[in-house]
Amino acid sequence: VNDYPVSLAEFENYAWRLDMNDGNNIIQGAYWTFTTGYGGLLMHYRFDGTPGNPLLSPITDDSGNDIEFTKRLDGGSLTYGESNPDTIASTASADFDPCAALFRLDPCGPSELTRDLLRLNGDYTIEMWVMPRNLSNIEQEQKVYLITKRDAWGLAIHNDGCDDGDCEYDFRGLWKSGGEADGVEENEWYHVAIVSAQYNPDDTISNIYLNGLDAGDAGGLPPADNNNPIWIGANQIADGNLEGHFDGLIDEIRIHDIALRPCAFLVGPGLAYPVCPVPLDDEQEVDPCGVVLSWTPGESADSREVYFSTDFAKVDALDVSARIYGAGTDTNVPLADLENNTRYYWRVVEDGDGGPWEGEIWSFITVYVVTDPNLRVWYEFDESWGETAHDHSGRGFHADLDDADGDEWDPDGGKWGSGCLVFDDDISVEPEEHEIFATLTSEITVTVWLKSELDGGGPVFSTGEESSGYKLQALVPDGNDDVVWRAGNDSCDSMVWSDATPDAWEGGWHHLAFVKDEGAGTMSIYFDGELAPPWPTLTTRTNPSR
């Protein structure tokens, strides 16, 4: 079976793996995780309103989850502030008067549906826009708090010498000092994000981002099942009092129960450096065939260079021998077939107004992943260039295009809107491992989508020799306009579909499946999912050459 029902608890992290037995070995599957949260955006406060007017209380967020914050005033005011120019369609922000105003989430309401919603455990993202004021008023080694949950986590601005420009954003997981992002100045808008990604129970990465760029480790995970209030603009200590009131503007607070990539942050325009690589940075199981490097460019970039190598030092030093693309405008760079089980490093250097901008060094590891132990080869023919048809079975049986001139690929002409390979009577696709089909003597299925012009017909696939003891071939059609399916050298190892009408198929896409089941004694052809006549019965094989 490939469906297995389980009973799960809410707001928990789960991990699972699928191991497969191919009859000889146990093939260990990839490690997958998920969280039984709301699957995305938990909370979103836009703080849109009319600048100068009092901020509403209670205020309901824009995520649709009915999370309410209420206003607490100990003097002063909490009003709508100026709009944030770095976010689209922002009409205002929240203006926090120092030592006077904050919001508090009621952890027991307003409904059972949202009571436990903001328990962050495993994968999550917290992001917000901030404009601080009067940072010099923060006492040395003290913090002002932007958003916190008591005994769990907090995002703050830390005075490590603000007079010297050393104020920094600080995230505290488990109330242990975490990552820092330097260079915080007064009256400047900053986007700050905390991203936690739990890849397995023993491997959790938590990072702080400043204006979309990775600023380092952000500490550990918060405790599970913490249902304390969340405060915006201050921190609640154990005795219920408040500390570290924030003076400034806050806008666009979002909390997700998934780990967002930087390109998904609400950073708006103005990002200078290339971000958001594909493949993902440090991705562990990248199919080595048909890799295309892509990224989100900086706002001012008008040209770029790409450096790529298995040698970290060459990419780090921008060695010309590692440059694979230069002075171009593309943000998608296709690669030739890569080596298996290899770590590759790459970075993008973009030029433009204020550049050059040297991006971070990203890396990934190539691994052939066998997801179906019974799938021997799978040629999607979705390539758009080159002389190699890549095998997507995970076994790496790539095929060469013989006598190809580069015009055979049609990237948009396939059955499903993707690519296909155009055969014009003078090319062939030849797997590098010619013996990969030789052991398939008893049971085999070959499927293909075919759009034929019927210019003489011929073999759709063919391997083996008459004298080798094995022949695998399908003719669509042969010289008699019959469809012939053969898998072996015995007289009963073939069938002829003499009632086929290939002329009626011309110019359209059709699916053909060729099946041999020696145990059942049958050879079969399926046309568009329907079994085609005749249905011959095979005799038991006695040929010792098999």
Side-chain angles (χ1 to χ4, degrees):
V1 299
N2 57 8
D3 293 289
Y4 189 78
V6 294
S7 298
L8 304 177
E10 288 187 319
F11 306 104
E12 291 289 345
N13 295 303
Y14 289 93
W16 65 297
R17 192 181 76 197
L18 182 64
D19 293 348
M20 294 170 285
N21 189 335
D22 67 357
N24 297 308
N25 300 290
I26 299 296
I27 302 173
Q28 189 176 102
Y31 186 95
W32 299 314
T33 63
F34 64 92
T35 301
T36 55
Y38 277 63
L41 185 64
L42 304 182
M43 185 187 90
H44 184 189
Y45 278 87
R46 300 183 186 275
F47 297 122
D48 284 345
T50 303
N53 285 354
L55 202 66
L56 299 176
S57 181
I59 183 171
T60 302
D61 75 329
D62 293 288
S63 72
N65 289 328
D66 297 326
I67 298 175
E68 292 185 353
F69 277 68
T70 56
K71 190 164 54 176
R72 171 170 164 173
L73 301 176
D74 296 328
S77 63
L78 179 59
T79 62
Y80 289 104
E82 67 179 64
S83 63
N84 178 359
D86 293 308
T87 58
I88 299 174
S90 174
T91 63
S93 58
D95 190 337
F96 285 79
D97 198 342
C99 301
L102 60 149
F103 280 164
R104 175 181 181 271
L105 171 70
D106 181 357
C108 295
S111 71
E112 293 183 358
L113 291 177
T114 61
R115 185 169 299 166
D116 296 331
L117 189 61
L118 294 175
R119 291 181 177 180
L120 302 182
N121 184 23
D123 290 3
Y124 64 85
T125 302
I126 305 169
E127 66 169 331
M128 63 197 308
W129 279 92
V130 178
M131 178 192 282
R133 288 189 297 245
N134 302 320
L135 293 175
S136 59
N137 293 337
I138 307 174
E139 294 184 13
Q140 185 75 16
E141 298 301 330
Q142 296 298 308
K143 301 173 187 272
V144 293
Y145 292 91
L146 306 174
I147 183 169
T148 68
K149 177 182 276 194
R150 195 182 76 212
D151 300 329
W153 48 264
L155 179 58
I157 299 176
H158 180 205
N159 179 359
D160 195 18
C162 287
D163 292 336
D164 299 324
D166 289 333
C167 274
E168 56 200 17
Y169 288 104
D170 176 71
F171 181 74
R172 294 159 63 131
L174 299 175
W175 293 115
K176 296 177 181 177
S177 181
E180 299 171 350
D182 296 337
V184 181
E185 298 181 2
E186 296 177 355
N187 302 312
E188 295 285 343
W189 279 107
Y190 295 92
H191 181 273
V192 190
I194 306 300
V195 179
S196 172
Q198 186 167 5
Y199 297 111
N200 61 57
D202 300 318
D203 182 13
T204 299
I205 298 176
S206 185
N207 285 65
I208 185 169
Y209 290 81
L210 183 62
N211 292 334
L213 297 179
D214 192 340
D217 179 55
L221 289 173
D225 298 327
N226 182 322
N227 209 18
N228 286 331
I230 290 179
W231 297 80
I232 301 173
N235 178 53
Q236 185 188 50
I237 57 179
D239 62 5
N241 291 317
L242 302 175
E243 64 175 355
H245 289 78
F246 173 69
D247 180 7
L249 306 179
I250 294 178
D251 198 14
E252 301 289 353
I253 296 179
R254 297 199 308 177
I255 297 179
H256 289 78
D257 66 353
I258 54 178
L260 293 184
R261 299 179 62 203
C263 57
F265 295 158
L266 288 178
V267 293
L271 193 63
Y273 294 87
V275 295
C276 207
V278 177
L280 300 179
D281 187 26
D282 200 37
E283 191 168 350
Q284 303 293 305
E285 294 183 351
V286 176
D287 189 335
C289 52
V291 175
V292 178
L293 304 178
S294 65
W295 65 95
T296 299
E299 182 187 42
S300 301
D302 52 28
S303 69
R304 63 268 309 165
E305 296 177 339
V306 178
Y307 294 82
F308 180 83
S309 176
T310 57
D311 188 337
F312 174 88
K314 287 185 177 181
V315 175
D316 184 43
L318 303 179
D319 191 304
V320 66
S321 66
R323 187 170 60 202
I324 62 171
Y325 181 83
T329 59
D330 291 337
T331 57
N332 294 275
V333 178
L335 302 176
D337 187 22
L338 302 178
E339 295 295 326
N340 189 32
N341 290 321
T342 304
R343 181 177 285 277
Y344 288 91
Y345 301 92
W346 65 294
R347 74 188 305 186
V348 179
V349 179
E350 295 185 322
D351 207 352
D353 185 20
W357 308 100
E358 295 181 4
E360 297 181 49
I361 297 177
W362 300 313
S363 71
F364 59 88
I365 296 176
T366 55
V367 176
Y368 291 137
V369 179
V370 177
T371 57
D372 183 347
N374 296 313
L375 183 63
R376 187 61 60 95
V377 295
W378 180 12
Y379 299 118
E380 294 186 353
F381 294 144
D382 285 344
E383 292 82 357
S384 59
W385 66 285
E387 298 180 1
T388 301
H390 293 100
D391 171 27
H392 292 266
S393 72
R395 301 180 187 274
F397 294 138
H398 308 308
D400 296 326
L401 270 63
D402 189 32
D403 294 329
D405 58 16
D407 295 331
E408 292 80 12
W409 299 111
D410 186 349
D412 301 314
K415 166 63 178 175
W416 306 111
S418 55
C420 66
L421 184 60
V422 180
F423 292 83
D424 54 5
D425 290 336
D426 60 359
I427 69 167
S428 60
V429 177
E430 299 181 1
E432 299 170 3
E433 300 290 339
H434 295 284
E435 301 302 318
I436 58 178
F437 306 109
T439 59
L440 302 178
T441 59
S442 298
E443 296 180 353
I444 184 173
T445 299
V446 183
T447 64
V448 59
W449 279 97
L450 189 67
K451 184 178 181 180
S452 176
E453 300 299 334
L454 293 179
D455 186 12
V460 174
F461 56 86
S462 179
T463 187
E465 303 292 340
E466 297 290 345
S467 60
S468 68
Y470 186 70
K471 182 71 174 178
L472 181 70
Q473 187 179 66
L475 303 175
V476 184
D478 67 356
N480 298 318
D481 280 344
D482 297 328
V483 175
V484 178
W485 162 222
R486 177 174 177 178
N489 279 338
D490 289 346
S491 60
C492 57
D493 283 342
S494 65
M495 70 166 291
V496 177
W497 182 17
S498 57
D499 292 335
T501 55
D503 289 340
W505 314 340
E506 185 175 354
W509 282 105
H510 294 279
H511 186 269
L512 287 102
F514 302 90
V515 182
K516 175 183 179 180
D517 184 348
E518 186 164 326
T522 59
M523 297 279 290
S524 307
I525 298 174
Y526 290 81
F527 180 78
D528 288 340
E530 298 291 334
L531 184 63
W535 305 278
T537 300
L538 304 184
T539 59
T540 303
R541 288 174 178 246
T542 58
N543 191 331
S545 66
R546 305 253 133 60

